[in-house]
Amino acid sequence: MKVLENKIVDERLYYKRLKSGLDIYFMPKTGYVKKHAVFATNYGSNDNRFIPIGEDRAVTVPEGIAHFLEHKLFEEPDINIFDKFSKLGAYVNAYTNFNQTAYLFSSTDHFYESLELLVKFVQNPYFTDENVEKEKGIIGQEIKMYQDNPNWRVFFNCLNGMYFEHPIKNDIAGTIESINHINKEILYKAYNTFYNPSNMVLFVVGDLSFDKIVERVNKVENKNFKREANKIEGIYPDEPKEIKEKYIEEKLATSIPLFAIGFKDINLGTKAKEQIKKDLTTNILLDILFGNSSKFYNKLYEKGLIDNSFGSYFTGRADYGHSLIVGQSVSPKEVYEEVIKYIKDIKKNKLSEENFNRIKSKNIGGFLMGLNSIEFISNYFIDNYFNDFLFIDFLEILDSISLYDVETRLENHLLEENIVLSIVNPL
Amino acid sequence: MVLKPERININKGISLNLIKMDKFKSNLLSLYLIIPLNREEVTKNALLPLVLKRGTKELNTNLKIQRKLEELYGSELNVDVNKTGEKQVIRFTIEGPKGRYVNDEKYMTQIIDLLKSLVYNPYLEKDAFGFQYVKQEKENLKRLIEARINDKRSYAIGRCIEEMYINEKFSIYPLGYIEDLDSIDNKILYEHYNKILDRVPIEIFYVGEYDNELTNYLIDSFRIEREDVLKLERESITSNVQTKNMIHEDMDINQGKLVLGYRTGIPYDSSLYNGLLVGSDILGGGPNSKLFRNVREAESLAYYIGSKVYKYKSLMIIDGGIDSHNLEKTIEIIRFEIDNMKKGIFTQEDIDVSKKSIKASMESIKDSIFLISEFFFSRELSKDGRTLEEALNDIERVTKEDIIESSNKINLDTIYFLRNLR
């Protein structure tokens, strides 16, 4: 067992690797009523091409399979998993994003029994032809729900403008057409590859005992998984540095045009701390330039070109990355023009030290306040963990960022040739 | 841990509620203006927070306010207007990290100053709000009202409520109406605001670390001279069907939205209300509920389906996302499940599961600094003196008979369907 401590934020992180290769992390939260566990695999919608465990040739699977698996793991031969958790007073849920699939529950009582149940159900898949067919109707409705969401559409259209090949451009749940090709054999293949304990992590947060957590997981975990020596990874296609399309437009039932302006990142290949630092540096840059304390934001707001839905962020991994500026506007093209002009101007001048320091100070508070929330901690841990970074050291990374880093990022990332404009217009 | 606020009356209708909390890394300050919901004033009230957050006497632009917040270690300002029963509630909240984590023990007074200025010392031009600010925010409010249709699920629920309570104040849309905007200018709005500040109840909540000095600072900061405060009326409720509607609306979307509105007639302070809460949870509270199991899991008709009780007006809403051609089938299952609730066709286990779920979510309030202030605010609104622990016990005491009795009081009033044309 190892204990990692961060005195500045006054938090500790306990760690142990089980014989199976499964890593367990625990963050004590004294005085909290809620207890929370998340069992996650480093497997998301981006991983639709991979070498199945025990085989030597890569396969491509239908879009939406990671998410489909997430739904189907709740199925067991004789019991209903939702029932079981409900009877323990626990609330169980799951999510799939581009890079991870996570199963989680919160409870105020009977935590350890619920923890056993979580590990057991995720480690014991039960897929039949019938239960796979049944799920297609439910997921079909989920896909339709997202198709009606203009924010979701403007976002994915922008990704489709940026990327030629990378699966990031595909909807996480797939399409009604792609999920039709899913069957239990493909599900087992993906499951056996990516749900190997060495590719997963269990994270627990709450007012609990780490010894007990380890003991309970040890007792119930499925020990039949083969230890995998190699790192399990999806295979990503070679993605050109250029963007695919400069402009994409769609019409939907919405009151006002929505836009997403995307900058495709070309500085890829960074990992772990370096990746986190790049991520944070870019987000500080965007906040200085476009945040609601920026002159740019306030100018456009006063002109009536944007409202407080306007925002910007960077996200990425070793194999992809992009900054997005999003919002709604009566005239998205004008916003787009303003953004381009502004970036040109700002590159001629220097960023101010004062703005930089203020945004840094804002990030300190944001992180500290995030630590109030068990859900924030859980999401943030998982997301960073699979990026080989333990999130409690966030403030150290923040501290290491200089104004020079931010200016360099401005030069290298916000490039005019890599901009995509996606607009959703009212019908 | 029993949570109990320390309640101090500052002056006429202004109360300060202090809740000591050690476990969070931040402190939170919220101020609520509680205004009776009415058609004549709703739009002006909705406009107020938008204009107020544009500038104070000292910090006369949004840019200055935002920069100040960033300097205060990224403290977050949040402004909101909401319908709670037949009240329109305007809320201002600032949350900031505790001084010890940022080596600045005394800065909380600056948070108090800022919130005070936002509400009491707005930016003015010759005894009126800023002309440009009002003009711009009228446009923003117009867009916000139009944006109702963007979230199809909440749009459908809102429309069902609107039709169902067509002859009651509860139907009023809390962001107001576009046709009112023309008649509002910076003078009229400021005059209106002065009336609001003079007359409406103000509740202030502080959650976190404090001492006597800070308490006194809060009291001094928020004391204003004012007239006698308005008495808030209790919502009238009935279980009798008033409108009996079946409303269809078409939209060019992929998934239809079905909403059923039921009148329960059970007031929130009746002991039967707890039976209604448990009953609604058994019916459609979560993945274990009757509706989830039968509409989603057994028939694959929907991705989401559930029921919810609206406290102050004592209604229950069931809503789900479905395809148009499954409308009748879905309604049939819902009717069947409601009938079963009325007949008592559910088990002791169903009851226990729902009680646990309701209690767990009530207890979880203690883990969120924001929900703690919201919880005690709602206690004040409903004049409910129970502690959280007492409320938990009341849920525990619900019997099967209570659930059957409360289920038999609910009456279907309005079915609303937003039909998908795609």
Side-chain angles (χ1 to χ4, degrees):
Chain A
M1 187 183 87
K2 254 173 42 183
V3 189
L4 304 129
E5 188 169 12
N6 191 309
K7 289 214 165 76
I8 304 168
V9 297
D10 193 18
E11 300 287 0
R12 277 165 302 152
L13 209 50
Y14 292 76
Y15 163 69
K16 190 174 173 65
R17 174 168 292 179
L18 300 186
K19 279 197 193 119
S20 63
L22 177 68
D23 289 333
I24 307 181
Y25 285 84
F26 165 59
M27 184 168 182
K29 271 288 190 186
T30 314
Y32 273 68
V33 183
K34 237 189 311 186
K35 297 139 180 82
H36 180 95
V38 51
F39 195 14
T41 163
N42 190 13
Y43 170 51
S45 64
N46 281 352
D47 305 295
N48 66 346
R49 185 167 167 80
F50 57 91
I51 301 171
I53 211 159
E55 297 181 22
D56 45 23
R57 271 217 311 246
V59 296
T60 302
V61 294
E63 288 162 25
I65 191 143
H67 172 260
F68 206 104
L69 252 180
E70 176 226 294
H71 272 238
K72 280 336 286 176
L73 275 187
F74 284 88
E75 201 89 46
E76 298 288 319
D78 42 4
I79 51 161
N80 179 319
I81 291 297
F82 288 125
D83 260 19
K84 280 260 188 177
F85 276 103
S86 302
K87 280 173 196 161
L88 292 168
Y91 176 74
V92 65
N93 208 345
Y95 64 85
T96 308
N97 60 29
F98 295 116
N99 302 297
Q100 301 112 28
T101 315
Y103 302 82
L104 49 108
F105 75 86
S106 335
S107 67
T108 50
D109 210 356
H110 304 294
F111 174 82
Y112 298 103
E113 288 152 276
S114 302
L115 180 66
E116 287 187 8
L117 189 58
L118 175 73
V119 173
K120 279 197 277 192
F121 97 79
V122 174
Q123 293 203 321
N124 291 286
Y126 173 68
F127 312 138
T128 64
D129 293 331
E130 198 198 354
N131 73 31
V132 169
E133 276 318 300
K134 185 203 83 177
E135 206 66 27
K136 290 178 182 172
I138 297 170
I139 295 177
Q141 283 304 325
E142 189 178 359
I143 291 171
K144 286 187 174 184
M145 186 177 86
Y146 280 103
Q147 281 171 349
D148 288 336
N149 182 328
N151 288 305
W152 190 254
R153 294 303 319 150
V154 79
F155 168 63
F156 270 98
N157 289 347
C158 191
L159 294 179
N160 274 282
M162 282 189 275
Y163 295 92
F164 289 85
E165 303 289 340
H166 198 285
I168 185 96
K169 69 190 171 72
N170 302 328
D171 200 322
I172 291 163
T175 63
I176 298 209
E177 143 74 14
S178 76
I179 63 169
N180 254 321
H181 298 294
I182 292 175
N183 58 41
K184 70 171 196 283
E185 286 73 25
I186 309 179
L187 287 172
Y188 274 116
K189 200 165 263 191
Y191 179 85
N192 289 329
T193 305
F194 290 107
Y195 283 70
N196 190 289
S198 65
N199 194 48
M200 298 187 74
V201 67
L202 180 72
F203 176 62
V204 175
V205 49
D207 202 342
L208 293 158
S209 141
F210 189 50
D211 289 341
K212 264 195 184 166
I213 293 166
V214 172
E215 182 200 316
R216 292 294 189 111
V217 176
N218 226 335
K219 190 179 103 191
V220 297
E221 72 162 340
N222 184 341
K223 301 203 167 61
N224 297 327
F225 285 100
K226 240 176 62 191
R227 272 303 290 272
E228 183 59 29
N230 302 323
K231 200 166 160 62
I232 298 156
E233 271 171 328
I235 302 166
Y236 307 120
D238 283 333
E239 172 67 30
K241 286 191 181 255
E242 297 75 40
I243 53 164
K244 187 171 172 232
E245 278 170 85
K246 275 194 108 46
Y247 179 69
I248 301 183
E249 188 185 325
E250 187 181 350
K251 281 187 176 355
L252 284 175
T254 168
S255 62
I256 182 170
L258 303 175
F259 64 86
I261 301 168
F263 292 81
K264 186 175 179 177
D265 197 8
I266 55 168
N267 309 110
L268 300 178
T270 47
K271 283 190 175 158
K273 271 194 178 172
E274 224 192 315
Q275 169 66 25
I276 305 296
K277 188 174 170 182
K278 179 176 99 171
D279 200 296
L280 192 49
T281 305
T282 320
N283 279 308
I284 290 174
L285 169 68
L286 294 170
D287 213 357
I288 293 174
L289 296 182
F290 304 108
N292 53 15
S293 71
S294 68
K295 283 186 179 155
F296 181 80
Y297 174 97
N298 286 281
K299 186 180 100 181
L300 267 62
Y301 186 99
E302 278 160 32
K303 272 188 172 179
L305 272 180
I306 58 169
D307 57 29
N308 58 17
S309 67
F310 185 83
S312 61
Y313 64 94
F314 172 81
T315 180
R317 283 288 190 274
D319 50 301
Y320 72 90
H322 44 258
S323 289
L324 290 172
I325 300 171
V326 300
Q328 51 191 38
S329 174
V330 283
S331 179
K333 286 187 178 161
E334 246 178 283
V335 176
Y336 173 77
E337 297 299 332
E338 291 275 3
V339 166
I340 290 185
K341 193 168 142 285
Y342 177 54
I343 289 172
K344 261 190 203 152
D345 289 349
I346 210 92
K347 280 182 179 172
K348 286 184 212 144
N349 305 305
K350 279 205 167 300
L351 296 175
S352 95
E353 185 92 38
E354 190 197 330
N355 288 346
F356 169 70
N357 288 332
R358 237 189 21 254
I359 299 297
K360 257 186 147 179
S361 149
K362 173 183 174 181
N363 272 283
I364 296 173
F367 181 67
L368 285 167
M369 289 190 276
L371 290 174
N372 282 343
S373 154
I374 279 180
E375 290 76 13
F376 170 88
I377 291 169
S378 155
N379 287 333
Y380 208 59
F381 175 88
I382 295 298
D383 199 40
N384 283 286
Y385 175 79
F386 289 125
N387 234 327
D388 297 318
F389 177 68
L390 292 174
F391 81 107
I392 57 167
D393 294 329
F394 173 88
L395 292 182
E396 279 69 34
I397 298 258
L398 181 67
D399 201 43
S400 77
I401 294 171
S402 67
L403 179 58
Y404 176 77
D405 295 328
V406 178
E407 284 178 330
T408 310
R409 193 71 181 129
L410 167 66
E411 285 302 323
N412 300 337
H413 174 51
L414 298 183
L415 303 171
E416 203 178 329
E417 60 270 27
N418 276 2
I419 309 182
V420 172
L421 172 62
S422 158
I423 297 178
V424 164
N425 274 319
L427 290 168
Chain B
M1 176 186 60
V2 176
L3 283 182
K4 201 149 174 81
E6 186 185 337
R7 188 167 166 80
I8 300 167
N9 185 267
I10 296 184
N11 61 349
K12 290 176 187 167
I14 306 178
S15 300
L16 173 64
N17 305 269
L18 297 153
I19 300 144
K20 206 155 233 157
M21 282 307 270
D22 287 333
K23 71 182 181 191
F24 298 121
K25 292 194 179 352
S26 56
N27 299 314
L28 177 137
L29 178 64
S30 270
L31 184 146
Y32 298 84
L33 299 168
I34 311 162
I35 309 168
L37 190 63
N38 77 64
R39 180 62 192 82
E40 290 70 44
E41 295 180 351
V42 65
T43 312
K44 281 184 217 158
N45 293 332
L47 191 53
L48 283 173
L50 301 180
V51 171
L52 290 170
K53 76 174 171 43
R54 291 299 300 273
T56 68
K57 201 173 155 195
E58 302 83 12
L59 304 168
N60 59 2
T61 63
N62 174 64
L63 186 129
K64 287 182 189 164
I65 293 174
Q66 295 303 330
R67 290 192 172 181
K68 181 73 188 173
L69 287 162
E70 287 171 354
E71 278 159 17
L72 301 178
Y73 313 99
S75 293
E76 286 170 9
L77 165 68
N78 207 302
V79 173
D80 179 47
V81 58
N82 236 315
K83 177 165 78 175
T84 306
E86 288 172 350
K87 282 128 197 149
Q88 195 179 9
V89 177
I90 301 176
R91 174 176 61 80
F92 300 83
T93 301
I94 302 183
E95 183 186 352
K98 282 183 178 158
R100 72 176 118 115
Y101 293 107
V102 291
N103 294 319
D104 190 352
E105 295 286 353
K106 292 283 173 201
Y107 91 94
M108 265 303 134
T109 53
Q110 294 186 58
I111 298 243
I112 298 167
D113 292 346
L114 178 54
L115 194 90
K116 173 194 167 183
S117 282
L118 282 162
V119 181
Y120 290 165
N121 299 316
Y123 170 73
L124 297 178
E125 293 167 357
K126 288 181 263 168
D127 269 345
F129 285 126
F131 176 80
Q132 283 299 333
Y133 290 174
V134 171
K135 192 179 153 204
Q136 286 159 5
E137 294 308 330
K138 272 166 67 178
E139 183 59 29
N140 282 331
L141 183 59
K142 175 173 167 262
R143 290 180 200 165
L144 275 174
I145 297 168
E146 288 167 347
R148 261 185 93 177
I149 62 160
N150 294 355
D151 182 336
K152 316 305 178 223
R153 183 176 181 179
S154 68
Y155 172 72
I157 293 174
R159 285 283 300 119
C160 180
I161 287 173
E162 216 164 69
E163 293 289 347
M164 186 169 164
Y165 291 95
I166 198 151
N167 299 316
E168 298 168 58
K169 284 183 177 158
F170 193 56
S171 68
I172 297 172
Y173 188 57
L175 293 183
Y177 299 86
I178 291 173
E179 67 257 33
D180 300 351
L181 286 169
D182 273 349
S183 63
I184 303 172
D185 66 21
N186 56 331
K187 273 203 186 68
I188 293 172
L189 192 65
Y190 184 58
E191 277 162 24
H192 174 70
Y193 186 51
N194 280 329
K195 270 191 264 166
I196 294 284
L197 275 190
D198 256 353
R199 301 292 312 272
V200 309
I202 298 177
E203 290 287 333
I204 299 158
F205 287 80
Y206 183 90
V207 191
E209 275 175 348
Y210 59 90
D211 53 16
N212 282 339
E213 203 183 324
L214 197 81
T215 306
N216 288 331
Y217 196 81
L218 280 161
I219 294 172
D220 292 341
S221 297
F222 289 104
R223 183 184 289 125
I224 43 168
E225 285 309 311
R226 63 194 322 228
E227 288 174 27
D228 285 335
V229 72
L230 275 178
K231 269 236 167 320
L232 295 170
E233 266 174 54
R234 173 84 183 253
E235 289 82 0
S236 70
I237 61 165
T238 170
S239 65
N240 298 329
V241 174
Q242 301 293 306
T243 39
K244 197 78 189 170
N245 282 324
M246 173 88 195
I247 314 265
H248 284 266
E249 204 173 318
D250 290 341
M251 206 185 264
D252 190 2
I253 50 177
N254 292 283
Q255 183 183 71
K257 306 285 176 192
L258 172 65
V259 187
L260 287 83
Y262 297 81
R263 291 184 187 256
T264 78
I266 304 168
Y268 55 75
D269 44 5
S270 145
S271 64
L272 212 50
Y273 183 74
N274 294 307
L276 177 67
L277 288 179
V278 178
S280 168
D281 193 82
I282 294 173
L283 180 68
N288 194 55
S289 68
K290 305 287 177 196
L291 293 176
F292 189 91
R293 284 187 195 197
N294 292 300
V295 177
R296 172 169 148 147
E297 298 296 306
E299 300 287 341
S300 302
L301 295 173
Y303 169 68
Y304 75 84
I305 176 98
S307 69
K308 189 185 161 192
V309 175
Y310 288 62
K311 179 175 172 179
Y312 297 92
K313 202 62 186 170
S314 302
L315 67 148
M316 186 176 83
I317 291 280
I318 293 177
D319 85 314
I322 58 166
D323 263 332
S324 295
H325 62 264
N326 290 323
L327 177 63
E328 273 155 37
K329 192 171 173 187
T330 310
I331 292 177
E332 198 181 306
I333 298 173
I334 293 171
R335 282 188 196 272
F336 180 76
E337 293 305 331
I338 291 222
D339 271 352
N340 281 348
M341 294 303 299
K342 294 188 179 195
K343 289 181 197 147
I345 305 176
F346 51 89
T347 62
Q348 187 56 42
E349 195 163 48
D350 291 331
I351 301 173
D352 293 341
V353 162
S354 282
K355 283 183 180 177
K356 274 188 193 144
S357 155
I358 294 170
K359 281 165 35 185
S361 63
M362 283 167 69
E363 277 187 288
S364 303
I365 289 167
K366 291 180 185 168
D367 288 347
S368 158
I369 193 163
F370 174 67
L371 290 182
I372 289 171
S373 79
E374 286 278 286
F375 174 79
F376 285 110
F377 172 65
S378 101
R379 291 277 120 146
E380 273 315 313
L381 265 192
S382 51
K383 301 285 166 236
D384 183 344
R386 292 176 304 165
T387 61
L388 186 56
E389 285 64 28
E390 286 162 345
L392 289 169
N393 283 333
D394 287 345
I395 293 292
E396 191 49 48
R397 272 197 289 270
V398 169
T399 63
K400 184 167 185 177
E401 288 66 40
D402 294 336
I403 300 169
I404 298 173
E405 194 184 335
S406 62
S407 298
N408 277 291
K409 289 201 187 297
I410 67 171
N411 286 314
L412 178 61
D413 186 296
T414 295
I415 299 176
Y416 172 87
F417 188 54
L418 184 62
R419 194 160 33 192
N420 54 307
L421 296 180
R422 289 198 180 183

